[in-house]
Amino acid sequence: MTQTATHMSHAPVSILILEDGEIDREMYRRLLKKNADIDFQVTESTSYLEATKLLQDHRAFDCYVVDYQLPDADGMAFVREILSRGDGRVSPAIVMVTGQGSEEVAVEALKLGVSDYLTKKRISEGEFVQPLKNAIEKARLRTELRHYREALERSYKDMSDFAHTASHDLKAPLRRIAAYCDMLQEDAASRLNDDDKGILDRMSTNARRMQQLIDKLLAYSKITTQQEDRQEVDLNNLVRDVIEECAQEGAADKIVAGDLPKAHAYPEKIRQVIINLVGNAQKYRDPSRPLEVHIDGMDVTDHILMSVADNGIGIAPEYHQAIFQDFKRLHTQDDIEGTGLGLTICRKIVQMHGGDIWVESEPGKGSTFYFTLPHRRNGNSG
Ligand code: ADP
């Protein structure tokens, strides 16, 4: 084992070269020395066993150049050794080198986690330092990406924990207020005048509304924090379940679905969208006629188009966009209860699938909500 170092102003890059051929090592040394802008601190090794011992004794290296054919093992075994030692948080830059080059070996090496694959012929033509620099940069970016992903997951979890705790802590005193209101209404009814009873009524109504608002806010926070696998979803089954649930709440309502396509989606979240849209159709019904809701869907070239149509009170054109904003309501609480978050949740969910949501509606006639989802053929998107 020999160690050489050049002194440059940039941070040094430690590199382990595992190569049994003296002439090849000499070539690598020469090419690295010619490089002007990186201070490569080179450690050389000639066998799998020696290099493995170096890994045991030494800290990890920034970059590895590994010959595929070694006297005591193949280079792939050493790559596995490198990868098994890391904690998976830092990606090492590994370049595999072979005599002749084989497509099979190249594929196997890249699959294993090697950054690049070079033949000795290419190296002898001077192609060595740039691939090493690329491999180092690629490894650095991969490491950075992993750190960002971990930080994002941590912050999602923190947010989710916070929302849970906050909703729990807010709901507990509210439940107590509602319970005290009930107690007063029952026990002190004879001592209260009509005004007092009215005030008590409003207190318990507001406590209940606050509970609904907290539930909706929690549902809103779960859109991005709740983990669920994206998968092929048969919308027929999903919509049938929702219809059964909603039909129990409005027994006389006619809620029907056409033949629906499959989507590549988060099933629980799409369920939430359908529940919110059907729930709104029931809530904003026209009292002068029985409610009819039609759920349809079709495959369009590169996405799925879903629609939920009702014959309810409809929405004036100037509100067709505003209703998707946070807390936007067109009715007072005394008129029709709500939080103004139902459509916001729908919009968020559809957007996280890469889709769009909009409404077409005429006051007095009804509304049709449309949304798009990725097609099952785009299965790997997102
Ligand atoms: P919420 O129902 O809690 O008020 P949403 O975000 O679900 O909140 O809806 C926002 C507003 O859009 C509602 O207040 C209502 O005025 C209008 N809206 C939603 N769906 C319908 C519908 N199917 N028919 C008529 N108006 C609707």
Side-chain angles (χ1 to χ4, degrees):
M1 182 188 82
T2 55
Q3 190 144 7
T4 57
T6 50
H7 298 284
M8 307 292 302
S9 54
H10 290 284
V13 172
S14 63
I15 176 165
L16 174 64
I17 294 178
L18 173 51
E19 166 65 67
D20 59 318
E22 169 56 35
I23 296 172
D24 292 327
R25 286 203 306 278
E26 175 55 39
M27 174 169 67
Y28 302 154
R29 242 178 268 138
R30 190 170 38 79
L31 289 168
L32 288 176
K33 234 184 235 153
K34 268 212 312 211
N35 165 71
D37 57 342
I38 294 188
D39 173 11
F40 284 113
Q41 300 204 326
V42 184
T43 304
E44 292 178 9
S45 175
T46 56
S47 72
Y48 167 82
L49 276 180
E50 188 193 30
T52 305
K53 178 140 191 351
L54 269 175
L55 279 188
Q56 278 162 3
D57 301 344
H58 200 280
R59 58 183 165 73
F61 293 85
D62 298 319
C63 181
Y64 301 84
V65 175
V66 182
D67 187 15
Y68 179 66
Q69 269 168 330
L70 297 166
D72 52 349
D74 75 23
M76 226 66 93
F78 185 64
V79 171
R80 280 192 204 95
E81 200 65 46
I82 300 168
L83 296 173
S84 72
R85 269 159 211 282
D87 57 4
R89 300 194 68 240
V90 176
S91 293
I94 307 171
V95 173
M96 175 73 79
V97 178
T98 59
Q100 281 86 41
S102 128
E103 208 172 299
E104 248 170 53
V105 175
V107 170
E108 191 189 343
L110 292 173
K111 262 194 197 155
L112 197 61
V114 161
S115 325
D116 205 353
Y117 174 88
L118 297 174
T119 59
K120 287 187 179 165
K121 184 168 176 293
R122 271 173 67 192
I123 298 177
S124 66
E125 289 162 3
E127 212 179 319
F128 187 54
V129 174
Q130 194 53 47
L132 285 192
K133 284 184 187 170
N134 292 349
I136 292 165
E137 181 61 6
K138 219 175 353 178
R140 189 186 67 74
L141 290 175
R142 228 184 288 142
T143 303
E144 209 172 273
L145 192 68
R146 185 170 300 120
H147 290 171
Y148 281 133
R149 201 183 304 132
E150 283 172 4
L152 196 67
E153 275 165 13
R154 268 198 308 277
S155 85
Y156 273 165
K157 188 170 175 326
D158 287 352
M159 212 170 99
S160 168
D161 291 350
F162 175 79
H164 262 99
T165 312
S167 83
H168 182 266
D169 290 0
L170 288 170
K171 275 167 87 174
L174 266 178
R175 259 197 307 273
R176 252 171 268 140
I177 292 173
Y180 289 139
C181 285
D182 288 348
M183 276 163 60
L184 265 180
Q185 273 164 335
E186 281 170 24
D187 301 345
S190 57
R191 279 178 280 133
L192 299 175
N193 62 30
D194 285 350
D195 283 352
D196 297 336
K197 284 180 191 162
I199 290 171
L200 263 185
D201 252 1
R202 285 203 290 281
M203 272 175 71
S204 65
T205 305
N206 277 292
R208 202 187 59 251
R209 275 182 198 153
M210 184 81 168
Q211 281 176 343
Q212 285 167 356
L213 188 60
I214 292 169
D215 284 339
K216 271 275 159 66
L217 280 170
L218 190 62
Y220 183 81
S221 82
K222 275 186 186 161
I223 297 173
T224 43
T225 56
Q226 212 173 39
Q227 298 292 325
E228 193 187 3
D229 281 338
R230 202 157 165 166
Q231 52 198 263
E232 186 174 273
V233 182
D234 185 344
L235 294 167
N236 286 305
N237 297 338
L238 189 143
V239 165
R240 197 186 319 118
D241 288 351
V242 174
I243 290 179
E244 270 170 28
E245 268 173 46
C246 294
Q248 283 165 8
E249 286 164 28
D253 300 342
K254 182 178 166 198
I255 309 175
V256 289
D259 188 21
L260 304 174
K262 291 193 171 91
H264 184 66
Y266 300 100
E268 274 311 306
K269 297 195 164 69
I270 296 305
R271 210 178 113 76
Q272 185 70 60
V273 173
I274 308 279
I275 288 177
N276 287 7
L277 294 179
V278 175
N280 276 353
Q282 291 181 307
K283 199 156 65 162
Y284 301 103
R285 65 178 66 226
D286 185 329
S288 69
R289 55 182 176 246
L291 175 66
E292 284 189 22
V293 183
H294 291 266
I295 304 172
D296 268 306
M298 60 174 161
D299 273 334
V300 191
T301 331
D302 60 349
H303 59 260
I304 284 162
L305 177 64
M306 292 287 294
S307 62
V308 178
D310 65 50
N311 61 345
I313 55 175
I315 303 160
E318 61 269 31
Y319 298 116
H320 286 185
Q321 292 191 343
I323 52 170
F324 294 99
Q325 289 166 10
D326 303 357
F327 302 109
K328 180 70 186 176
R329 305 207 62 228
L330 309 181
H331 303 266
T332 64
Q333 291 297 358
D334 292 334
D335 186 7
I336 302 176
E337 279 199 3
T339 57
L341 280 175
L343 289 178
T344 307
I345 290 175
C346 293
R347 175 176 56 82
K348 282 250 170 196
I349 292 176
V350 170
Q351 283 175 348
M352 80 181 279
H353 282 85
D356 249 334
I357 186 166
W358 68 97
V359 69
E360 286 175 8
S361 176
E362 217 181 301
K365 291 208 167 153
S367 312
T368 303
F369 284 85
Y370 293 95
F371 63 96
T372 58
L373 289 176
H375 200 283
R376 65 181 179 279
R377 282 198 296 268
N378 301 340
N380 53 0
S381 65

